[in-house]
Amino acid sequence: HFSARRVVGMDLDSGLIEAAEEHLRSLGGVSSRSVEFRAEDILTCPLRRHDQPERFDVVLCLSVTKWIHFAHGDTGLHNLFKRCFKRTRPGGYFVLEPQEWGSYKKKRHLTREIRQSVANIQIRPEDFEDYLQNAIGFEKVDVIEPPGDLPPNFQRRLRIFRRPLEEEE
């Protein structure tokens, strides 16, 4: 609907990828060449496809920062943001929907490993904007407030960043 030539959806959960593919088939009329779903880990998937960097005009990172933080700590979060930067073409946009710190605290007792990971977190969600600008290199563009009619656990802001255009040499 936005005249996208190509859309790639990626998730670690192959069940979610299968559900997305099934939903796409139910819509009909959408070319499998223009929409692709991948069961991949953003932290380890190839950054290059067909011998060139794979970059996108828009990279969406929705409701995953907490889970990356739980599994990989601050290092994993830093790697996620660096990989999203590399995947965003110069002049392109990165849209982030982080979970708030309160939701971390609610889930921190799932396992001993998660509890330990949460205890060691230094880069909290309220620090992400500064971190993305100062440590990663994105420019802040805007913040979109959620509609008021969403359930409380989905009242999350979308933070929009832009990868600067690379300077001409």
Side-chain angles (χ1 to χ4, degrees), residues 66-145:
K66 175 173 68 176
W67 304 108
I68 299 243
H69 242 160
F70 282 177
H72 305 285
D74 285 340
T75 300
L77 188 79
H78 173 79
N79 292 340
L80 168 69
F81 290 159
K82 284 297 284 186
R83 288 177 77 80
C84 288
F85 187 85
K86 289 178 181 178
R87 288 290 179 115
T88 305
R89 73 159 175 78
Y93 295 92
F94 175 56
V95 179
L96 177 67
E97 181 199 40
Q99 296 95 326
E100 299 300 326
W101 183 248
S103 74
Y104 282 61
K105 293 170 81 175
K106 288 178 187 173
K107 297 287 186 182
R108 73 176 178 254
H109 298 296
L110 288 175
T111 67
R112 184 180 344 187
E113 292 81 12
I114 289 175
R115 190 168 40 255
Q116 183 64 42
S117 186
V118 171
N120 291 325
I121 287 173
Q122 298 295 309
I123 309 166
R124 291 188 173 196
E126 59 267 21
D127 303 323
F128 290 176
E129 285 184 21
D130 286 338
Y131 193 80
L132 284 163
Q133 293 172 88
N134 299 319
I136 304 300
F138 281 109
E139 299 169 341
K140 181 179 174 182
V141 174
D142 202 357
V143 175
I144 299 174
E145 296 294 329

Side-chain angles (χ1 to χ4, degrees), residues 153-169:
N153 57 333
F154 287 98
Q155 290 285 330
R156 299 186 198 125
R157 294 178 177 104
L158 293 178
R159 290 158 175 89
I160 303 171
F161 299 88
R162 182 176 171 268
R163 180 175 174 169
L165 292 170
E166 295 175 344
E167 294 183 17
E168 300 290 324
E169 294 187 19

